[in-house]
Short mmCIF file of all heavy atoms in Angstrom, two decimals:
data_model
loop_
_atom_site.label_atom_id
_atom_site.label_comp_id
_atom_site.label_asym_id
_atom_site.label_seq_id
_atom_site.Cartn_x
_atom_site.Cartn_y
_atom_site.Cartn_z
N THR A 1 -21.83 -15.87 -20.48
CA THR A 1 -20.79 -16.16 -19.43
C THR A 1 -19.41 -16.12 -20.04
O THR A 1 -18.48 -15.48 -19.51
CB THR A 1 -21.04 -17.52 -18.78
OG1 THR A 1 -22.38 -17.49 -18.18
CG2 THR A 1 -20.04 -17.75 -17.67
N ALA A 2 -19.22 -16.81 -21.18
CA ALA A 2 -17.89 -16.81 -21.76
C ALA A 2 -17.50 -15.43 -22.19
O ALA A 2 -16.33 -15.01 -21.99
CB ALA A 2 -17.91 -17.78 -23.03
N GLN A 3 -18.39 -14.66 -22.80
CA GLN A 3 -18.01 -13.31 -23.11
C GLN A 3 -17.71 -12.43 -21.97
O GLN A 3 -16.76 -11.60 -21.99
CB GLN A 3 -19.26 -12.70 -23.86
CG GLN A 3 -19.42 -13.08 -25.27
CD GLN A 3 -20.44 -12.20 -26.07
OE1 GLN A 3 -21.44 -11.78 -25.47
NE2 GLN A 3 -20.22 -11.98 -27.33
N ALA A 4 -18.40 -12.63 -20.87
CA ALA A 4 -18.09 -11.88 -19.61
C ALA A 4 -16.69 -12.19 -19.15
O ALA A 4 -15.97 -11.27 -18.68
CB ALA A 4 -19.18 -12.19 -18.58
N VAL A 5 -16.32 -13.43 -19.17
CA VAL A 5 -14.99 -13.80 -18.78
C VAL A 5 -13.92 -13.19 -19.69
O VAL A 5 -12.88 -12.75 -19.20
CB VAL A 5 -14.85 -15.33 -18.69
CG1 VAL A 5 -13.46 -15.74 -18.33
CG2 VAL A 5 -15.83 -15.96 -17.70
N VAL A 6 -14.20 -13.20 -20.95
CA VAL A 6 -13.29 -12.61 -21.88
C VAL A 6 -13.04 -11.16 -21.58
O VAL A 6 -11.83 -10.70 -21.51
CB VAL A 6 -13.75 -12.76 -23.38
CG1 VAL A 6 -12.75 -12.03 -24.30
CG2 VAL A 6 -13.81 -14.24 -23.75
N VAL A 7 -14.08 -10.35 -21.42
CA VAL A 7 -13.91 -8.93 -21.10
C VAL A 7 -13.17 -8.72 -19.71
O VAL A 7 -12.47 -7.79 -19.63
CB VAL A 7 -15.23 -8.14 -21.16
CG1 VAL A 7 -15.84 -8.22 -22.61
CG2 VAL A 7 -16.25 -8.71 -20.15
N THR A 8 -13.56 -9.59 -18.81
CA THR A 8 -12.86 -9.51 -17.48
C THR A 8 -11.42 -9.78 -17.60
O THR A 8 -10.57 -8.97 -17.02
CB THR A 8 -13.51 -10.46 -16.50
OG1 THR A 8 -14.90 -10.18 -16.41
CG2 THR A 8 -12.91 -10.31 -15.13
N ILE A 9 -10.99 -10.78 -18.31
CA ILE A 9 -9.57 -11.09 -18.52
C ILE A 9 -8.91 -9.92 -19.21
O ILE A 9 -7.82 -9.52 -18.82
CB ILE A 9 -9.42 -12.40 -19.33
CG1 ILE A 9 -9.90 -13.63 -18.50
CG2 ILE A 9 -7.95 -12.52 -19.80
CD1 ILE A 9 -9.05 -13.94 -17.33
N GLY A 10 -9.55 -9.34 -20.27
CA GLY A 10 -8.95 -8.25 -20.98
C GLY A 10 -8.75 -7.01 -20.09
O GLY A 10 -7.68 -6.38 -20.13
N ALA A 11 -9.75 -6.67 -19.27
CA ALA A 11 -9.64 -5.55 -18.37
C ALA A 11 -8.60 -5.67 -17.37
O ALA A 11 -7.78 -4.83 -17.05
CB ALA A 11 -11.03 -5.27 -17.75
N ILE A 12 -8.50 -6.88 -16.73
CA ILE A 12 -7.55 -7.18 -15.73
C ILE A 12 -6.10 -7.11 -16.36
O ILE A 12 -5.16 -6.45 -15.78
CB ILE A 12 -7.71 -8.54 -15.05
CG1 ILE A 12 -9.01 -8.48 -14.21
CG2 ILE A 12 -6.56 -8.92 -14.18
CD1 ILE A 12 -9.39 -9.89 -13.68
N THR A 13 -5.97 -7.69 -17.49
CA THR A 13 -4.62 -7.79 -18.09
C THR A 13 -4.12 -6.38 -18.57
O THR A 13 -2.96 -6.13 -18.35
CB THR A 13 -4.66 -8.72 -19.30
OG1 THR A 13 -5.23 -9.99 -18.91
CG2 THR A 13 -3.25 -8.93 -19.86
N LEU A 14 -5.05 -5.58 -19.07
CA LEU A 14 -4.59 -4.24 -19.53
C LEU A 14 -4.02 -3.41 -18.35
O LEU A 14 -3.10 -2.66 -18.53
CB LEU A 14 -5.62 -3.57 -20.35
CG LEU A 14 -6.88 -2.89 -19.73
CD1 LEU A 14 -6.54 -1.48 -19.29
CD2 LEU A 14 -8.01 -2.94 -20.69
N LEU A 15 -4.75 -3.57 -17.20
CA LEU A 15 -4.23 -2.84 -16.01
C LEU A 15 -2.89 -3.44 -15.50
O LEU A 15 -1.99 -2.68 -15.14
CB LEU A 15 -5.25 -2.88 -14.90
CG LEU A 15 -6.33 -1.85 -14.97
CD1 LEU A 15 -7.23 -1.98 -13.75
CD2 LEU A 15 -5.79 -0.41 -15.02
N ILE A 16 -2.83 -4.71 -15.49
CA ILE A 16 -1.58 -5.39 -15.08
C ILE A 16 -0.39 -4.92 -15.94
O ILE A 16 0.64 -4.52 -15.39
CB ILE A 16 -1.68 -6.91 -15.08
CG1 ILE A 16 -2.57 -7.35 -14.00
CG2 ILE A 16 -0.29 -7.57 -15.00
CD1 ILE A 16 -2.90 -8.88 -14.15
N GLY A 17 -0.52 -4.90 -17.30
CA GLY A 17 0.56 -4.52 -18.13
C GLY A 17 0.88 -3.08 -17.93
O GLY A 17 2.05 -2.74 -17.90
N CYS A 18 -0.07 -2.19 -17.80
CA CYS A 18 0.23 -0.79 -17.52
C CYS A 18 0.97 -0.50 -16.24
O CYS A 18 1.93 0.24 -16.20
CB CYS A 18 -1.10 0.06 -17.63
SG CYS A 18 -1.86 0.17 -19.18
N ILE A 19 0.49 -1.14 -15.16
CA ILE A 19 1.07 -0.87 -13.86
C ILE A 19 2.53 -1.31 -13.82
O ILE A 19 3.45 -0.65 -13.39
CB ILE A 19 0.29 -1.54 -12.79
CG1 ILE A 19 -1.11 -0.95 -12.61
CG2 ILE A 19 1.01 -1.50 -11.41
CD1 ILE A 19 -2.02 -1.62 -11.76
N ILE A 20 2.80 -2.53 -14.34
CA ILE A 20 4.14 -3.05 -14.29
C ILE A 20 5.03 -2.31 -15.33
O ILE A 20 6.26 -1.98 -14.95
CB ILE A 20 4.20 -4.54 -14.67
CG1 ILE A 20 3.35 -5.33 -13.59
CG2 ILE A 20 5.64 -5.14 -14.70
CD1 ILE A 20 3.28 -6.85 -13.90
N GLY A 21 4.50 -1.86 -16.37
CA GLY A 21 5.26 -1.09 -17.35
C GLY A 21 5.76 0.17 -16.86
O GLY A 21 6.82 0.70 -17.25
N CYS A 22 5.04 0.77 -15.84
CA CYS A 22 5.43 2.06 -15.29
C CYS A 22 6.79 1.94 -14.48
O CYS A 22 7.45 2.95 -14.25
CB CYS A 22 4.40 2.64 -14.42
SG CYS A 22 2.92 3.15 -15.36
N ALA A 23 7.10 0.69 -14.02
CA ALA A 23 8.15 0.58 -13.05
C ALA A 23 9.38 -0.13 -13.66
O ALA A 23 10.42 -0.29 -13.00
CB ALA A 23 7.69 -0.26 -11.82
N LYS A 24 9.31 -0.54 -14.99
CA LYS A 24 10.48 -1.27 -15.52
C LYS A 24 11.54 -0.28 -16.14
O LYS A 24 11.14 0.80 -16.59
CB LYS A 24 9.99 -2.18 -16.63
CG LYS A 24 9.14 -3.36 -16.05
CD LYS A 24 10.05 -4.26 -15.22
CE LYS A 24 9.24 -5.39 -14.62
NZ LYS A 24 10.07 -6.29 -13.71
N ASP A 25 12.77 -0.67 -16.10
CA ASP A 25 13.83 0.15 -16.66
C ASP A 25 14.50 -0.43 -17.85
O ASP A 25 15.26 0.23 -18.57
CB ASP A 25 14.93 0.30 -15.51
CG ASP A 25 14.41 1.12 -14.31
OD1 ASP A 25 13.69 2.12 -14.53
OD2 ASP A 25 14.70 0.62 -13.21
N ASP A 26 14.13 -1.69 -18.20
CA ASP A 26 14.65 -2.34 -19.42
C ASP A 26 13.76 -1.90 -20.60
O ASP A 26 12.52 -2.12 -20.51
CB ASP A 26 14.62 -3.79 -19.25
CG ASP A 26 15.30 -4.56 -20.43
OD1 ASP A 26 14.75 -4.45 -21.57
OD2 ASP A 26 16.29 -5.26 -20.21
N ILE A 27 14.37 -1.31 -21.64
CA ILE A 27 13.56 -0.79 -22.71
C ILE A 27 12.69 -1.84 -23.42
O ILE A 27 11.49 -1.58 -23.75
CB ILE A 27 14.50 -0.11 -23.75
CG1 ILE A 27 13.67 0.64 -24.82
CG2 ILE A 27 15.45 -1.10 -24.42
CD1 ILE A 27 14.51 1.46 -25.76
N LYS A 28 13.22 -3.06 -23.55
CA LYS A 28 12.35 -4.11 -24.20
C LYS A 28 11.30 -4.62 -23.31
O LYS A 28 10.17 -4.97 -23.71
CB LYS A 28 13.30 -5.30 -24.62
CG LYS A 28 14.23 -4.87 -25.82
CD LYS A 28 15.20 -6.01 -26.18
CE LYS A 28 14.49 -7.22 -26.69
NZ LYS A 28 15.44 -8.31 -27.04
N ARG A 29 11.54 -4.62 -21.94
CA ARG A 29 10.52 -5.16 -20.99
C ARG A 29 9.42 -4.19 -20.86
O ARG A 29 8.23 -4.55 -20.64
CB ARG A 29 11.17 -5.52 -19.66
CG ARG A 29 11.98 -6.80 -19.72
CD ARG A 29 12.50 -7.20 -18.41
NE ARG A 29 13.32 -8.40 -18.48
CZ ARG A 29 12.87 -9.70 -18.42
NH1 ARG A 29 11.58 -9.82 -18.11
NH2 ARG A 29 13.64 -10.67 -18.53
N VAL A 30 9.72 -2.87 -20.97
CA VAL A 30 8.68 -1.86 -20.93
C VAL A 30 7.71 -2.09 -22.09
O VAL A 30 6.51 -2.17 -21.96
CB VAL A 30 9.23 -0.44 -20.95
CG1 VAL A 30 8.07 0.55 -21.10
CG2 VAL A 30 9.99 -0.15 -19.70
N LEU A 31 8.29 -2.37 -23.32
CA LEU A 31 7.48 -2.58 -24.47
C LEU A 31 6.76 -3.92 -24.42
O LEU A 31 5.65 -4.06 -24.85
CB LEU A 31 8.41 -2.53 -25.73
CG LEU A 31 9.03 -1.17 -26.05
CD1 LEU A 31 9.95 -1.30 -27.24
CD2 LEU A 31 7.95 -0.19 -26.31
N ALA A 32 7.38 -4.90 -23.69
CA ALA A 32 6.74 -6.23 -23.57
C ALA A 32 5.45 -6.05 -22.73
O ALA A 32 4.42 -6.59 -23.05
CB ALA A 32 7.66 -7.20 -22.92
N TYR A 33 5.56 -5.35 -21.60
CA TYR A 33 4.35 -5.16 -20.79
C TYR A 33 3.36 -4.26 -21.42
O TYR A 33 2.16 -4.39 -21.23
CB TYR A 33 4.80 -4.63 -19.39
CG TYR A 33 5.17 -5.75 -18.44
CD1 TYR A 33 6.48 -5.89 -18.15
CD2 TYR A 33 4.25 -6.63 -17.93
CE1 TYR A 33 6.98 -6.94 -17.36
CE2 TYR A 33 4.65 -7.69 -17.13
CZ TYR A 33 5.94 -7.82 -16.79
OH TYR A 33 6.35 -8.87 -15.95
N SER A 34 3.85 -3.31 -22.35
CA SER A 34 2.98 -2.59 -23.15
C SER A 34 2.14 -3.53 -24.04
O SER A 34 0.90 -3.37 -24.24
CB SER A 34 3.72 -1.59 -24.01
OG SER A 34 2.93 -1.08 -25.02
N THR A 35 2.76 -4.53 -24.61
CA THR A 35 2.06 -5.54 -25.40
C THR A 35 1.02 -6.24 -24.60
O THR A 35 -0.08 -6.47 -25.10
CB THR A 35 3.11 -6.52 -26.09
OG1 THR A 35 3.90 -5.82 -26.89
CG2 THR A 35 2.37 -7.58 -26.87
N VAL A 36 1.39 -6.68 -23.42
CA VAL A 36 0.46 -7.38 -22.58
C VAL A 36 -0.83 -6.47 -22.38
O VAL A 36 -1.98 -6.93 -22.50
CB VAL A 36 1.06 -7.60 -21.19
CG1 VAL A 36 0.04 -8.12 -20.18
CG2 VAL A 36 2.12 -8.67 -21.31
N SER A 37 -0.58 -5.16 -22.20
CA SER A 37 -1.70 -4.23 -22.01
C SER A 37 -2.51 -4.07 -23.24
O SER A 37 -3.75 -4.11 -23.21
CB SER A 37 -1.19 -2.95 -21.54
OG SER A 37 -2.19 -2.00 -21.37
N GLN A 38 -1.89 -3.91 -24.44
CA GLN A 38 -2.54 -3.66 -25.62
C GLN A 38 -3.34 -4.86 -26.09
O GLN A 38 -4.45 -4.75 -26.65
CB GLN A 38 -1.59 -3.19 -26.69
CG GLN A 38 -0.90 -1.87 -26.44
CD GLN A 38 -1.84 -0.71 -26.13
OE1 GLN A 38 -2.73 -0.47 -26.96
NE2 GLN A 38 -1.63 -0.01 -25.07
N ILE A 39 -2.81 -6.03 -25.86
CA ILE A 39 -3.60 -7.23 -26.14
C ILE A 39 -4.77 -7.32 -25.30
O ILE A 39 -5.86 -7.81 -25.65
CB ILE A 39 -2.72 -8.47 -26.06
CG1 ILE A 39 -1.50 -8.46 -27.04
CG2 ILE A 39 -3.54 -9.75 -26.40
CD1 ILE A 39 -1.85 -8.43 -28.47
N GLY A 40 -4.67 -6.78 -24.06
CA GLY A 40 -5.78 -6.74 -23.13
C GLY A 40 -6.93 -5.92 -23.73
O GLY A 40 -8.08 -6.26 -23.59
N TYR A 41 -6.61 -4.79 -24.39
CA TYR A 41 -7.61 -3.95 -25.04
C TYR A 41 -8.28 -4.75 -26.14
O TYR A 41 -9.49 -4.70 -26.33
CB TYR A 41 -6.96 -2.76 -25.67
CG TYR A 41 -6.84 -1.57 -24.71
CD1 TYR A 41 -5.64 -1.24 -24.13
CD2 TYR A 41 -7.88 -0.75 -24.42
CE1 TYR A 41 -5.45 -0.16 -23.28
CE2 TYR A 41 -7.77 0.33 -23.51
CZ TYR A 41 -6.56 0.62 -22.89
OH TYR A 41 -6.47 1.71 -22.13
#
């Protein structure tokens, strides 16, 4: 159960980071949401 929750959190987060990163115009915030996504991986 704990492992399933970890993979679910990772999958949700990597999509969230990618989607928001596509719409940001601040160079550092794009990279920040990229980090959110990569940590999700």
Side-chain angles (χ1 to χ4, degrees):
T1 302
Q3 282 190 326
V5 175
V6 174
V7 296
T8 302
I9 292 294
I12 292 173
T13 307
L14 74 88
L15 273 184
I16 288 173
C18 287
I19 292 171
I20 299 177
C22 291
K24 291 297 180 181
D25 297 314
D26 185 297
I27 186 171
K28 290 174 65 178
R29 288 186 180 269
V30 174
L31 294 175
Y33 277 106
S34 169
T35 297
V36 171
S37 177
Q38 297 305 308
I39 301 295
Y41 274 103

